[in-house]
Amino acid sequence: PAETRDGAQARARSPPAPVTDVAKLCVCDLLVAQCDVNCCCDPDCSADDFSLFTTCSVPVVTGDSHLCSQKAAVYSLDVEANPPERIFKLIDQVNPSIFCIHATNYKQALYLKSPEMPTPENFDQLLKKFGSSSFSAEPDSWNLGTDAQNPPDANETYRYEYGVPVQTEDAFLRLPSPVVSSWCSDANPAGFLVNQATKCIRSVSVEKCDSIQALSMLFYINSSILASVFQVNITVQSIVVQSLNGMRDLLNDSDVLRLPMVLDELCINVVLGVNYHITYTDTGEIIEAAAAFVLGAISKEALSIEQSFEISFTQENTKPVPLSGNPGYVVGLPLRAGFRPQGYPFPAGFHSNKHNQLTLLQSTSTQDCLAAQGARAPVLFGYNMISGCKLRITAAMKCQPLAQTLLDVLKGQSFPEYVASFGNSQAQDVLDWVPITHLHISEQRVSNPLQSSCQIPVSLGIEVKWTKYGSLVNPQARIVNVTATITTTTLRQLPSGRERIIPVTSSVVFTDISSPAEPGYKAWPTINIKLPFDFFYPFV
Amino acid sequence: NNSSQLSSLPLQILFYVNGIYYIFYFLATLAMIIYKSQVFSYPDDFLAPDLAVLFLMAILEVPRLYLGVKGNLTEAEAPLGLSLGLTVGSVVLCLYLLLWQTYVLWADVVLNALLLSAYGLESGLKVTAIAAFVG
């Protein structure tokens, strides 16, 4: 009925009345209907509970000490009695100061003011009184025009600082990235000097693929970056076309803009990846911007595709060489490797292969060794890896070419000869590079030694031994030894028509061979007493 | 010649003592109000009446004492009667400061009680003096 509802509302509106009776106030009574330990004022405690207490955590409960005379509840434990019992005394505490409060005529004098309960009637007035810009319904600062900031003066060069979003003529340079879920959000601005790589999923449909903006090249290069006096256009650096089965082809002419179009139930020229390269000067001005695209095709069944985006900043006139540690290797960074050119000991240094890295066979979804050529993964320091593929041997296969093919599959096109011992080893410092030792283990089969032995490599194991180097508090990782072990097995002749599948594996293992640290102590300070030469002046 | 002098000597002494004591009372009460406003929660709409009463009492005190002295010395009952009337007003204001001030400190109680007793004694002596002048 209406009365109870109003009553309940009225009760809900006013806060509960404060407890002012000193005898009933108990700050340590935290457990409802249970006795709190060492809480002498707890009404839930019985005499038996009091006999177990050691002290009273709240010895005195008083009101405001400014009052001239006030009631005080004093709790204490009488430990002499057996069993100990609690003593409760209600005394009048007198404040001897002449400035004690004799009386007050102001109700809230010694209490905190209860805040006003908002009701529909006083809500607007309270909002005006207490609500600042954070609570107002129409804040002044939310002008829609503030996104278009004042364009910089023509004479003033536009300098960027680290982390500042790269501005274009309408908004910011966008790097779509996953927000909350894996779906692409186009509102992520690229920060200056912040190298980012993101991957996100975009929903597509083949019928409407030419109308979805984010799938066309134009979306990513049509805005020009605001930088220095003029605007920097984003040029197309290269276009790689990826076919449906994953093969990538670099196109010769990257000037032609390729827009998505529907062709035979496929949509081609769909942007699968963009790689921005921004060049800047040492004063923070952007002078060049280029984008490398990966275009692909989507089939009718595809409902979503994964796009990957990357942005990297390079200072002009420099060619950055990524180090794998400074000086010790950092876990997760690739091992640096290279070759020694002919003609050592001339101080020619090392050549590194195309990516300066030691690589390992990368397992593919097809698991066929002969079709897996090309896919390799870099060996990362500290990460033990194992990968493999399956080799189908038929009777028609010849031994020698097969062995050579497998060796290529295991080792890759250019297997390096040397590995850098420190993450920042320079190519000129020949002593900083560790040669790769090669071992050969052959699994001999006991059966029939008369058969022509044909050894084919079936496993490559790289063992990298590293040690901790340097100070005890900041040890650096240093590679001491790299051993590549090839295990070969005998290939038996198969009767024609039969085929066999053998597994081929490659692995890399990192072993820590640090010797225990030896503490070094500073030398004891010596007392150096030397008398000045004229100490005994008058006598010498 | 005692019989021809109707002016009351005790009243005159009391006027002087009252004057000096009132200056001390005014400064002390003002200082305590300032102290209270700093130490306790003293909202403006409670501070204003207390200060108004104190200043009103100070304004009333000057003509009250002047008229009283003048009446006593000239042995005229009119100024003395007027002074008595003003004393009633001062007593009311003093009672306010004693009972209905926002914060009544123990020092307030002492000062106001002393002032009230001075007023009471003064009123009694004034009535006697008026009776002496009239009669």
Side-chain angles (χ1 to χ4, degrees):
Chain A
E3 301 101 38
T4 51
R5 201 191 62 210
D6 284 344
Q9 268 183 356
R11 270 198 306 276
R13 275 200 208 117
S14 59
V19 175
T20 52
D21 186 1
V22 161
K24 294 207 179 58
L25 218 65
C26 197
V27 203
C28 53
D29 179 12
L30 299 169
L31 298 168
V32 175
Q34 251 189 13
C35 183
D36 291 84
V37 180
N38 274 351
C39 185
C40 296
C41 53
D42 195 344
D44 307 314
C45 294
S46 63
D48 300 330
D49 295 318
F50 287 132
S51 63
L52 299 171
F53 290 174
T54 50
T55 67
C56 282
S57 56
V58 174
V60 172
V61 182
T62 63
D64 198 318
S65 57
H66 279 117
L67 293 174
C68 287
S69 129
Q70 52 183 320
K71 282 222 170 313
V74 178
Y75 301 94
S76 59
L77 274 184
D78 182 13
V79 287
E80 308 286 314
N82 188 12
E85 53 186 31
R86 172 198 81 163
I87 302 173
F88 166 61
K89 277 197 294 239
L90 204 60
I91 59 171
D92 282 321
Q93 211 176 45
V94 172
N95 185 354
S97 158
I98 59 160
F99 296 120
C100 64
I101 298 179
H102 181 76
T104 68
N105 290 307
Y106 170 40
K107 248 202 147 42
Q108 296 139 311
L110 304 168
Y111 300 102
L112 294 170
K113 196 165 132 179
S114 316
E116 220 176 301
M117 279 287 169
T119 59
E121 293 85 49
N122 65 3
F123 188 80
D124 289 324
Q125 175 237 338
L126 282 177
L127 184 66
K128 210 182 329 188
K129 190 166 162 201
F130 295 111
S132 57
S133 62
S134 52
F135 286 114
S136 41
E138 280 142 15
D140 304 319
S141 54
W142 287 1
N143 271 335
L144 290 173
T146 51
D147 265 346
Q149 306 204 340
N150 304 337
D153 299 336
N155 295 335
E156 190 185 286
T157 55
Y158 207 90
R159 294 182 59 236
Y160 285 96
E161 289 175 359
Y162 175 78
V164 168
V166 176
Q167 293 200 325
T168 60
E169 47 188 9
D170 51 350
F172 299 109
L173 185 65
R174 281 173 299 256
L175 204 72
S177 67
V179 176
V180 182
S181 64
S182 315
W183 296 99
C184 287
S185 150
D186 290 326
N188 179 37
F192 187 65
L193 291 189
V194 178
N195 293 336
Q196 272 183 310
T198 59
K199 278 200 187 60
C200 56
I201 304 179
R202 212 177 276 279
S203 66
V204 295
S205 76
V206 174
E207 298 84 42
K208 296 193 294 202
C209 81
D210 45 0
S211 61
I212 301 178
Q213 268 203 331
L215 295 177
S216 95
M217 273 174 68
L218 207 59
F219 181 65
Y220 298 100
I221 59 173
N222 70 345
S223 50
S224 48
I225 297 177
L226 293 178
S228 65
V229 185
F230 43 86
Q231 292 179 350
V232 175
N233 287 327
I234 305 181
T235 57
V236 176
Q237 189 180 37
S238 65
I239 300 182
V240 167
V241 172
Q242 180 171 320
S243 64
L244 276 176
N245 60 2
M247 281 240 299
R248 288 189 175 187
D249 255 323
L250 182 65
L251 288 186
N252 286 334
D253 58 341
S254 48
D255 301 331
V256 179
L257 205 62
R258 287 160 191 273
L259 297 176
M261 54 187 188
V262 184
L263 195 73
D264 286 347
E265 297 190 350
L266 289 180
C267 185
I268 63 170
N269 294 337
V270 165
V271 171
L272 293 182
V274 185
N275 205 328
Y276 288 105
H277 297 279
I278 314 261
T279 313
Y280 63 97
T281 66
D282 49 0
T283 54
E285 295 161 12
I286 295 181
I287 51 173
E288 212 184 301
F293 286 92
V294 174
L295 300 180
I298 50 175
S299 56
K300 216 160 78 139
E301 303 89 42
L303 291 173
S304 63
I305 53 165
E306 191 187 50
Q307 292 184 313
S308 60
F309 300 93
E310 208 182 308
I311 186 166
S312 62
F313 291 86
T314 328
Q315 201 170 349
E316 64 167 344
N317 299 333
T318 63
K319 234 172 25 164
V321 172
L323 294 179
S324 295
N326 201 3
Y329 272 100
V330 172
V331 168
L333 292 184
L335 252 55
R336 297 179 60 224
F339 300 90
R340 195 180 62 202
Q342 303 292 341
Y344 185 78
F346 297 112
F350 287 89
H351 289 324
S352 300
N353 63 355
K354 190 165 149 225
H355 295 285
N356 305 5
Q357 287 167 1
L358 188 64
T359 57
L360 208 64
L361 169 74
Q362 189 171 39
S363 309
T364 56
S365 54
T366 56
Q367 292 189 6
D368 188 1
C369 290
L370 300 176
Q373 289 168 10
R376 299 195 70 81
V379 172
L380 304 175
F381 184 79
Y383 287 176
N384 298 343
M385 299 203 294
I386 186 166
S387 59
C389 56
K390 289 203 182 85
L391 179 69
R392 191 187 293 128
I393 305 179
T394 58
M397 282 186 182
K398 296 276 190 316
C399 176
Q400 264 318 105
L402 186 64
Q404 191 54 44
T405 313
L406 276 179
L407 209 60
D408 280 339
V409 165
L410 282 172
K411 281 189 164 178
Q413 288 299 89
S414 49
F415 194 70
E417 296 168 8
Y418 287 83
V419 171
S421 69
F422 281 112
N424 63 351
S425 296
Q426 301 293 321
Q428 305 87 274
D429 305 326
V430 182
L431 296 173
D432 258 351
W433 292 72
V434 171
I436 297 183
T437 321
H438 289 84
L439 281 187
H440 186 172
I441 298 179
S442 62
E443 286 175 9
Q444 292 285 10
R445 291 192 178 246
V446 187
S447 65
N448 212 341
L450 289 179
Q451 240 178 7
S452 59
S453 58
C454 167
Q455 304 279 341
I456 51 166
V458 286
S459 148
L460 167 69
I462 302 178
E463 189 182 4
V464 180
K465 292 198 177 83
W466 63 280
T467 173
K468 291 199 190 84
Y469 185 82
S471 78
L472 195 60
V473 292
N474 190 12
Q476 303 296 313
R478 179 190 188 173
I479 291 183
V480 179
N481 190 330
V482 179
T483 311
T485 311
I486 302 258
T487 311
T488 59
T489 185
T490 322
L491 177 65
R492 279 179 308 165
Q493 268 308 101
L494 284 172
S496 69
R498 298 275 302 277
E499 57 181 34
R500 227 176 89 197
I501 297 182
I502 54 171
V504 172
T505 57
S506 64
S507 64
V508 66
V509 168
F510 286 86
T511 320
D512 180 1
I513 58 162
S514 335
S515 47
E518 287 164 13
Y521 295 107
K522 283 210 277 218
W524 275 103
T526 53
I527 301 176
N528 201 2
I529 306 179
K530 261 215 216 41
L531 294 174
F533 71 96
D534 55 354
F535 191 69
F536 298 108
Y537 168 61
F539 306 107
V540 166
Chain B
N1 195 349
N2 229 1
S3 55
S4 57
Q5 181 191 325
L6 293 173
S7 313
S8 166
L9 180 60
L11 186 60
Q12 194 67 17
I13 297 172
L14 201 52
F15 279 140
Y16 273 102
V17 168
N18 199 350
I20 295 168
Y21 175 71
Y22 189 77
I23 293 170
F24 164 73
Y25 167 86
F26 176 77
L27 291 172
T29 308
L30 188 64
M32 278 200 291
I33 287 182
I34 293 171
Y35 163 77
K36 279 182 264 188
S37 71
Q38 298 303 308
V39 172
F40 306 123
S41 145
Y42 214 146
D44 285 342
D45 38 356
F46 287 91
L47 185 59
D50 292 350
L51 279 176
V53 163
L54 184 64
F55 279 97
L56 190 62
M57 207 159 84
I59 291 169
L60 276 184
E61 195 71 10
V62 174
R64 188 184 77 90
L65 283 175
Y66 172 73
L67 286 171
V69 165
K70 180 172 162 209
N72 190 24
L73 289 178
T74 58
E75 295 177 6
E77 58 271 5
L80 213 51
L82 213 56
S83 175
L84 192 59
L86 287 175
T87 306
V88 171
S90 283
V91 162
V92 167
L93 293 177
C94 183
L95 272 176
Y96 173 90
L97 286 179
L98 176 65
L99 296 174
W100 299 305
Q101 216 184 124
T102 310
Y103 292 96
V104 183
L105 303 184
W106 182 241
D108 272 325
V109 171
V110 167
L111 285 173
N112 281 301
L114 279 174
L115 195 63
L116 266 182
S117 56
Y119 283 164
L121 198 57
E122 233 179 60
S123 306
L125 285 174
K126 273 184 205 165
V127 167
T128 338
I130 290 175
F133 296 160
V134 168

